[in-house]
Amino acid sequence: MLASKILIVDDDIHIAELIDLYLTKEGYETKQAHGGKEALQLFSSFAPHLVLLDIMLPEIDGYDICKEIRKISNIPIIMLTAKGETFDKVLGLELGADDYVVKPFEPKELIARVKAVLRRYDSKEKNNKKIVVPNLTIDLSDYSVTYHGKKMELPPKELELLYFLASNPNQVFTRDQLLDRIWGYDYIGDTRTVDVHIKRIREKLNKKETWSIKTVWGVGYKFENI
């Protein structure tokens, strides 16, 4: 099973390193960002499963980063705030944050919060295996695809790839990330595998829609849902 990936966003490098140390010890894969722009860039390239997000950041604050992430993804966000800062808990939660932790915090408490939020998210995802967009329904519970009212025959990997992209609308994934998520880290093959599967999916879902699988040249693919 692949380790969950966590993006740590904090302009205090010492705090970010400390969080990184404890998360790594727990088996999580981590990356750090120390400013708002870097955080959004890493969110796109790293594709984390959870974001630890400080509020007071240079360039773009945590509230605005939270809003930007929520436009394209529903992954868990835990807000971090210093004890002396004015933190509007209601505002943070209304913007889409899943939890918050006040600094200074006990590392064990932070780890417990991370695990609890990921458990809730995983449980919610497992209970919601159907994605519906105009003229298309992808149901992972019975591996079925319905397109313009007709059942489509898609091999498992094509269906899983389509489901993954559609469940993360407007988010760009590299070919390596898609290989990792769909085929697994131990898959022996090259990135052309992704290209071939995308080509086959497009051939089957070939009508003009408000959504599409877009090629982002030099990067990878995204499910664009207008």
Side-chain angles (χ1 to χ4, degrees), residues 92-174:
L93 297 176
E94 282 182 349
L95 289 175
D98 297 86
D99 201 352
Y100 75 100
V101 177
V102 177
K103 297 185 284 188
F105 48 78
E106 287 291 330
K108 286 183 180 178
E109 180 198 355
L110 180 64
I111 297 297
R113 296 285 188 95
V114 166
K115 288 180 177 178
V117 168
L118 281 172
R119 274 197 306 270
R120 289 201 303 270
Y121 180 76
D122 288 343
S123 175
K124 186 169 68 175
E125 287 297 290
K126 285 173 185 174
N127 292 329
N128 182 24
K129 293 188 174 183
K130 183 185 287 187
I131 293 174
V132 180
V133 294
N135 301 318
L136 177 68
T137 300
I138 313 156
D139 193 340
L140 208 59
S141 62
D142 63 359
Y143 271 69
S144 68
V145 174
T146 304
Y147 185 52
H148 283 268
K150 294 181 179 179
K151 291 281 186 182
M152 301 288 294
E153 293 295 327
L154 265 69
K157 290 303 179 195
E158 286 181 26
L159 190 145
E160 289 168 15
L161 179 58
L162 177 61
Y163 178 88
F164 178 75
L165 288 169
S167 63
N168 296 278
N170 304 314
Q171 187 171 340
V172 181
F173 293 94
T174 66

Side-chain angles (χ1 to χ4, degrees), residues 2 12 35 38 55 98 116 129 146 151-152 188 209 215:
L2 297 176
D12 188 320
E38 184 187 14
I55 293 175
D98 297 86
K129 293 188 174 183
T146 304
K151 291 281 186 182
M152 301 288 294
I188 300 173
E209 308 289 352
T215 301

Side-chain angles (χ1 to χ4, degrees), residues 135 147-148 150 152 202-212:
N135 301 318
Y147 185 52
H148 283 268
K150 294 181 179 179
M152 301 288 294
R202 284 171 169 164
E203 286 171 352
K204 292 167 185 174
L205 310 180
N206 56 11
K207 294 183 174 66
K208 189 173 177 63
E209 308 289 352
T210 57
W211 47 264
S212 64

Side-chain angles (χ1 to χ4, degrees), residues 7 9-10 33-41 43 51-73 77 79 95:
L7 177 60
V9 185
D10 199 308
H34 307 296
K37 290 180 181 177
E38 184 187 14
L40 290 174
Q41 288 167 354
F43 180 81
V51 178
L52 291 172
L53 181 59
D54 190 24
I55 293 175
M56 302 301 289
L57 293 166
E59 304 162 338
I60 309 169
D61 68 26
Y63 289 127
D64 284 335
I65 291 172
C66 185
K67 283 192 282 189
E68 288 302 310
I69 290 174
R70 281 292 170 259
K71 289 178 183 177
I72 58 173
S73 175
I77 298 171
M79 305 290 273
L95 289 175

